[in-house]
């Protein structure tokens, strides 16, 4: 069992590397707004990821592709204002970094300057190496993301587990080592075999955060809306729900509607 070994008053990229070195698991959740950030901060989460999953859970899109850089900056700015301790990392959205290293740098600079976040996350390996190097060269921390990369969902054609075959697994390990070598401070592995994720985590010195990648990695991340049960139709094997907020909210709203219609709310103690 992992136990906290140090009280980090402010979590930094160096803090995460220290946590890995000391065997302390890293907690990471997605966040998209100020109120949620305050709750996650109070709960003691180490890292808040302003994920492009906002495209799904906040805007109702089928994929992460539609969300724009401006929208990501808006969400990130809202989160940063609610944070005192946690590290805030922001996804570079689809189309903001893949075509040109210079565009990648411009996008990352906008996120850092306009939101106040602490770093960015990018999906991919060798194919985006030059863009990552350009961003790192400007002093901006970068977290990698390998395995199932949702921005490439139309290339994959499915959300099934990635890197089950030897060729793809070898390429993933090679990409992970490359990301470490060029200077990424951490790596997310999504929906890959647990044995492979453990091998990757043991092969590199930077922290590896898993989602659907088993418990042999250095930390875990979930989409908060899934974790608290605010979304209720998404049920992958890797998801553990800690609340059932959807049903609780529905029941509260039903009671509110009934109280308003019956003139039970507001009562004499709830008016001036």
């Amino acid at each position: 069992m992992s136990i906290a070994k140090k009280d980090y008053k402010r979590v930094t990229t160096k803090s995460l590397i220290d946590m890995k070195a000391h065997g302390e698991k890293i907690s990471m959740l997605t966040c998209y707004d100020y109120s949620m950030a305050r709750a996650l901060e109070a709960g003691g989460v180490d890292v808040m990821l302003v994920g492009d999953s906002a495209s799904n859970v906040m805007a109702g899109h089928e994929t992460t592709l539609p969300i724009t850089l401006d929208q990501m900056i808006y969400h990130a700015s809202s989160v940063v204002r609610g944070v005192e301790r946690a590290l805030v990392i922001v996804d570079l959205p689809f189309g903001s970094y893949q075509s040109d290293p210079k565009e990648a740098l411009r996008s990352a600079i906008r996120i850092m300057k306009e939101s106040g976040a602490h770093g960015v996350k990018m999906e991919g390996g060798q194919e985006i190496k030059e863009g990552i190097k350009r961003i790192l060269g400007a002093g901006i921390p970068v977290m990698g993301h390998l395995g199932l990369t949702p921005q490439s969902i139309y290339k994959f054609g499915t959300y099934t587990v990635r890197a089950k075959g030897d060729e793809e697994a070898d390429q993933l390990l090679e990409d992970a080592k490359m990301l470490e070598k060029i200077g990424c401070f951490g790596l997310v592995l999504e929906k890959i075999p647990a044995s492979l994720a453990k091998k990757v985590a043991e092969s590199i010195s930077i922290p590896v955060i898993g989602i659907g990648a088993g418990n042999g990695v250095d930390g875990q991340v979930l989409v908060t809306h899934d974790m608290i049960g605010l979304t209720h139709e998404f049920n992958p094997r890797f998801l553990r729900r800690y609340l059932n907020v959807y049903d609780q909210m529905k029941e509260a709203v039903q009671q509110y509607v009934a109280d308003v219609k019956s003139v039970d709310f507001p009562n004499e103690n709830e008016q001036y």
Side-chain angles (χ1 to χ4, degrees):
M1 179 181 293
S2 173
I3 58 173
K5 294 178 173 64
K6 182 177 178 181
D7 180 19
Y8 294 93
K9 293 184 178 179
R10 191 73 193 241
V11 179
T12 66
T13 56
K14 183 179 183 302
S15 304
L16 302 189
I17 293 171
D18 289 344
M19 288 180 188
K20 171 165 182 160
H22 295 137
E24 178 183 349
K25 298 296 187 181
I26 298 162
S27 60
M28 183 172 175
L29 285 168
T30 63
C31 193
Y32 318 103
D33 63 70
Y34 173 83
S35 297
M36 189 70 79
R38 295 305 297 159
L40 299 188
E41 180 82 4
V45 73
D46 297 315
V47 185
M48 294 188 207
L49 172 64
V50 184
D52 56 5
S53 48
S55 179
N56 308 105
V57 299
M58 299 296 287
H61 294 296
E62 183 180 2
T63 71
T64 63
L65 274 62
I67 199 164
T68 67
L69 183 60
D70 285 339
Q71 289 168 331
M72 290 301 299
I73 290 170
Y74 166 79
H75 287 295
S77 301
S78 302
V79 170
V80 168
R81 286 191 286 270
V83 168
E84 297 170 6
R85 175 185 175 273
L87 183 73
V88 179
I89 303 300
V90 183
D91 273 336
L92 280 177
F94 177 74
S96 69
Y97 64 94
Q98 289 94 341
S99 64
D100 178 4
K102 292 182 180 178
E103 181 185 28
L105 177 57
R106 285 192 294 269
S107 299
I109 287 174
R110 281 200 61 200
I111 284 176
M112 299 298 284
K113 285 179 67 70
E114 297 177 37
S115 77
H118 309 132
V120 299
K121 181 168 75 64
M122 303 168 68
E123 295 183 8
Q126 189 66 39
E127 68 277 13
I128 60 165
K129 177 180 178 180
E130 294 308 313
I132 294 174
K133 289 173 66 176
R134 185 68 66 99
I135 294 170
L136 290 168
I140 299 172
V142 176
M143 174 174 269
H145 184 146
L146 299 173
L148 176 64
T149 47
Q151 291 179 10
S152 303
I153 188 56
Y154 289 126
K155 170 186 171 183
F156 295 145
T158 176
Y159 285 102
T160 191
V161 176
R162 304 303 310 172
K164 290 191 290 186
D166 290 344
E167 183 177 351
E168 189 177 353
D170 289 345
Q171 183 62 55
L172 187 146
L173 180 57
E174 184 178 325
D175 280 340
K177 291 178 178 178
M178 178 274 293
L179 292 171
E180 176 191 29
K181 184 177 180 180
I182 65 176
C184 289
F185 74 87
L187 173 64
V188 168
L189 292 180
E190 181 168 357
K191 212 168 183 182
I192 68 170
S195 58
L196 175 60
K198 185 174 187 293
K199 182 178 180 180
V200 172
E202 292 173 347
S203 300
I204 59 179
S205 61
I206 59 175
V208 175
I209 311 298
I211 176 168
N215 62 12
V217 291
D218 305 304
Q220 300 293 330
V221 60
L222 284 175
V223 172
T224 298
H225 288 59
D226 298 335
M227 187 272 287
I228 64 174
L230 186 53
T231 55
H232 66 292
E233 296 174 344
F234 181 62
N235 295 291
R237 180 189 300 183
F238 63 78
L239 173 61
R240 180 183 296 181
R241 284 200 166 87
Y242 288 79
L243 286 174
N244 190 356
V245 171
Y246 179 89
D247 285 344
Q248 291 172 327
M249 284 187 66
K250 182 178 72 172
E251 291 169 7
V253 171
Q254 289 172 335
Q255 187 62 56
Y256 168 75
V257 170
D259 290 350
V260 169
K261 291 187 178 295
S262 67
V263 201
D264 181 70
F265 175 79
N267 60 33
E268 291 184 1
N269 294 324
E270 295 166 330
Q271 55 191 341
Y272 300 96

